[in-house]
Amino acid sequence: MKICGIVAEYNPFHNGHAYHCAKTRGQIGDETAIVAVMSGNFVQRGDFAIVDKYRRAAMAVCAGVDLVIELPLPAALSSAEGFARGAVASLAAMGCVTHLSFGSECGDLARIRRAAACDRSAIREHLASGQSYAAALQSAVETVDPDAGALLSSPNNTLGIEYCAAIDALGCDIQPITVQRDGAAHDSEQLHVRPSASALRHLILDGKVDACREGMPSEAFTWLTQAIDSGAAPAHVGVCDAAMLSYLRRLSPDDLLRFTGGKDGLQNRLFDAIRDHTSIPDICAAAQTRRYPLARIRRALLRAYLDLPFDTSVEPRYLRVLAIGPRGREVLRQMGKTAQVPVVIKPVNEKRLPDTADLRRDALVDDLYALAQPSRAFWTGGSHFRQSPYVTNKENRSV
């Protein structure tokens, strides 16, 4: 059986994600099992996921994905390089994944792979000179392919380059393929039959949930509305302003340095902004500059709040299953023979593992995420040890 990995956030799952699954099977074969490595309750832009990880995973397996594995938290709150490395390492740790499919704006795998061959040490040099990560990557890529810099203006191309670079760096026997993005652009607010997740999030936060219906598979939309009706969504950083500020204001610039990822002065800028402003969005706006992109600031604040130092390894110590679709059990049987790290399907599996800082951290992080949900009924702790994966046998392969 061919098993293809997809790296995603599904925040929330929409028609473009279903299209990606369908086109992936169109390239590899209709019987291909698709495994998504998905960000958990916190996402790469440095924010709370709008719906919790188990409900987002359930949306995915109701709409074409066969198995959803959680991306390690340190990878989810990393730049494109760390995000990609953690995701590829997770797929490699399964021991049975044959392909990795990613969306891209250009659709040109050969060009993306050439760009991925750039000198990674050159990226470090450009970062040391004060460039942002995106600018440093662009400078390094242009030394390999002078025309490839244009690829970096599109975020999915950038991630595609990093996925291919991670495959090469880790020596994985995983074949990358790309599906050209079709629909609204990344972060576009344009309504479209295949909208961006950003557009859907804005509609949800504005209370216009029904407007999301045409942009999502029907069962994914049902999961979304049920979460909202129950008070479990939308989770939002604004609900946690006081909780986050009460913790962040305890930190000195030296404390903040553990979470910012470089001695470039960001820790001092954050220290001042945390004291001068009274909401997380205002702190981010005050600290943001060309040198300090908004996503990096958001991630640094969340890392500090969650006590997740910047140098924490992005590679998995275990694989947590969030949802199981039609072929998911078969993939799990394969993983039982090939997985290189423990596989956690139910809380009882986790309790059998040696007690580690990673396990304790992940439980605490889920409790902190709960505080961002609208209803206080979901603010109680301990959900980490009560939740089992959603399971469905129903196949839904619609585009």
Side-chain angles (χ1 to χ4, degrees):
M1 179 175 62
K2 294 177 182 176
I3 301 173
C4 183
I6 288 178
V7 185
E9 297 198 303
Y10 297 152
N11 188 33
F13 193 97
H14 56 65
N15 289 341
H17 297 131
Y19 175 86
H20 183 197
C21 291
K23 289 296 182 180
T24 295
R25 288 194 174 95
Q27 287 195 43
I28 307 174
D30 288 342
E31 301 308 310
T32 299
I34 290 181
V35 177
V37 175
M38 187 189 80
S39 297
N41 285 331
F42 296 89
V43 294
Q44 204 248 347
R45 64 193 298 270
D47 203 354
F48 292 72
I50 202 160
V51 181
D52 73 84
K53 60 189 180 184
Y54 283 99
R55 287 180 174 87
R56 288 174 18 251
M59 293 180 192
V61 298
C62 287
V65 176
D66 292 299
L67 188 69
V68 182
I69 302 290
E70 184 175 0
L71 178 69
L73 177 68
L77 290 180
S78 293
S79 67
E81 181 182 28
F83 182 88
R85 186 179 181 93
V88 171
S90 297
L91 293 171
M94 292 174 59
C96 56
V97 173
T98 57
H99 295 74
L100 166 60
S101 174
F102 58 87
S104 65
E105 287 84 1
C106 72
D108 187 342
L109 181 62
R111 194 173 186 190
I112 287 172
R113 297 206 75 169
R114 286 199 302 274
C118 69
D119 182 359
R120 307 308 284 189
S121 65
I123 298 176
R124 308 285 177 260
E125 293 173 6
H126 293 304
L127 286 170
S129 72
Q131 289 187 7
S132 68
Y133 184 82
L137 177 60
Q138 182 169 355
S139 298
V141 164
E142 286 175 342
T143 64
V144 176
D145 181 350
D147 298 324
L151 295 177
L152 278 301
S153 63
S154 300
N156 290 293
N157 290 342
T158 301
L159 278 172
I161 291 168
E162 295 293 1
Y163 296 141
C164 291
I167 287 172
D168 293 340
L170 293 170
C172 304
D173 188 19
I174 296 176
Q175 179 181 340
I177 64 171
T178 190
V179 172
Q180 188 163 19
R181 188 183 180 97
D182 181 79
H186 182 85
D187 278 344
S188 168
E189 296 303 308
Q190 175 190 5
L191 291 181
H192 192 283
V193 67
R194 287 195 280 274
S196 71
S198 177
L200 295 179
R201 289 194 299 272
H202 279 93
L203 289 172
I204 293 165
L205 292 172
D206 287 344
K208 301 175 182 176
V209 180
D210 200 56
C212 300
R213 185 187 301 271
E214 292 187 6
M216 300 177 67
S218 60
E219 291 194 51
F221 181 75
T222 298
W223 274 100
L224 173 66
T225 55
Q226 289 176 346
I228 292 171
D229 290 345
S230 71
H236 187 252
V237 66
V239 181
C240 284
D241 272 342
M244 292 184 69
L245 280 168
S246 69
Y247 183 79
L248 294 172
R249 285 186 177 172
R250 301 167 192 246
L251 304 179
S252 69
D254 285 345
D255 293 328
L256 289 167
L257 182 60
R258 297 174 57 226
F259 309 105
T260 58
K263 297 181 179 180
D264 57 358
L266 177 57
Q267 73 276 14
N268 297 314
R269 194 170 182 88
L270 286 178
F271 180 81
D272 291 339
I274 288 166
R275 275 148 186 78
D276 291 344
H277 298 276
T278 58
S279 75
I280 300 303
D282 287 348
I283 291 169
C284 292
Q288 180 185 10
T289 66
R290 178 176 293 184
R291 187 176 191 183
Y292 308 132
L294 181 58
R296 181 185 172 197
I297 291 167
R298 287 172 170 161
R299 288 194 295 266
L301 291 173
L302 270 181
R303 279 180 169 272
Y305 177 54
L306 303 174
D307 194 22
L308 184 69
F310 186 83
D311 59 359
T312 306
S313 173
V314 298
E315 297 187 17
R317 303 290 178 86
Y318 50 88
L319 299 170
R320 185 182 308 283
V321 177
L322 300 179
I324 304 170
R327 291 189 178 87
R329 288 188 181 87
E330 189 173 349
V331 176
L332 286 171
R333 282 194 291 272
Q334 277 291 101
M335 290 171 61
K337 304 173 186 176
T338 61
Q340 299 166 13
V341 296
V343 179
V344 174
I345 302 175
K346 295 183 178 182
V348 67
N349 301 136
E350 184 170 326
K351 291 177 180 178
R352 291 171 182 158
L353 298 178
D355 183 35
T356 66
D358 288 31
L359 290 170
R360 293 192 299 273
R361 177 201 68 208
D362 288 353
L364 172 62
V365 162
D366 285 350
D367 285 350
L368 293 175
Y369 173 83
L371 299 177
Q373 294 173 290
S375 172
R376 285 177 176 260
F378 293 97
W379 287 16
T380 55
S383 65
H384 183 87
F385 298 107
R386 296 192 297 267
Q387 186 73 55
S388 294
Y390 173 77
V391 180
T392 180
N393 293 316
K394 179 181 177 182
E395 292 201 22
N396 186 338
R397 301 286 176 84
S398 59
V399 179

